[in-house]
Amino acid sequence: MPSPPPPHDPRSTPSLTPPEVEAVARAAHAGQTDKAGRPYAEHLEAVAAGVRRRGGDDEQIAAAWLHDAVEDDALSARWLDEAALSRRTKDIVLALTRRPGEAPEAYAARILSTPGAALVKEADLAHNADPARLAVLDAATRTRLTEKYARMRALLGLAAPGV
């Protein structure tokens, strides 16, 4: 895995630019694939685009690029804490980072209590539940994931896709 940028000193270093955040995310997830065998960065790009389409701001778009980085061990929690990112972006990433053994209800509650996180999760769920993306999976996996995503949408109070 390529080394991430150095830690952020908010007193002297400007924040990472959107292209820099994208580059960090792509490098962190290099070589990873999704359940369909596609490069994982395609998912990150789709979630960031979904956040943009939903009216998300630069902090939410940055969080979209990084939303799975800590959970997938692509970047460490320490890296995130020290990164040249806004506190809001960091909080959104942490809210979207599932914890081992965490109940879906607790996960959803954390997302809902973190300003800006629900929009990023909505874009994530929309891409995860994309019928074209699910179509390449076996029937059992497709059914399991469809139910999982529908349950999370319900917990977050989101309308069904396409509504």
Side-chain angles (χ1 to χ4, degrees):
M1 171 170 76
S3 57
H8 175 51
D9 178 352
R11 297 165 298 176
S12 62
T13 309
S15 290
L16 291 170
T17 65
E20 289 171 331
V21 173
E22 177 182 345
V24 166
R26 287 182 181 279
H29 290 277
Q32 291 181 344
T33 57
D34 66 12
K35 291 173 182 68
R38 302 291 310 158
Y40 202 78
E42 289 179 7
H43 170 63
L44 303 176
E45 183 174 17
V47 175
V51 167
R52 188 175 293 110
R53 277 193 309 278
R54 288 168 173 81
D57 58 32
D58 285 347
E59 291 175 319
Q60 289 169 302
I61 292 167
W65 278 105
L66 299 169
H67 77 276
D68 282 333
V70 175
E71 182 176 316
D72 292 349
D73 293 322
L75 294 170
S76 70
R78 180 176 179 186
W79 178 88
L80 181 66
D81 183 55
E82 296 174 354
L85 297 165
S86 72
R87 180 75 256 159
R88 182 168 170 250
T89 294
K90 293 175 186 184
D91 288 346
I92 293 170
V93 172
L94 291 172
L96 297 172
T97 300
R98 283 190 177 271
R99 298 172 185 165
E102 182 174 38
E105 295 81 4
Y107 178 59
R110 187 173 62 252
I111 291 169
L112 289 171
S113 70
T114 304
L119 183 86
V120 179
K121 188 61 182 177
E122 180 180 10
D124 178 40
L125 288 167
H127 187 248
N128 282 338
D130 180 336
R133 195 162 182 241
L134 291 171
V136 301
L137 304 175
D138 64 84
T141 301
R142 187 170 49 250
T143 298
R144 179 181 60 79
L145 292 176
T146 299
E147 291 170 358
K148 174 184 170 183
Y149 302 144
R151 179 169 186 227
M152 185 53 59
R153 289 186 73 81
L155 290 170
L156 294 170
L158 299 172
V163 174

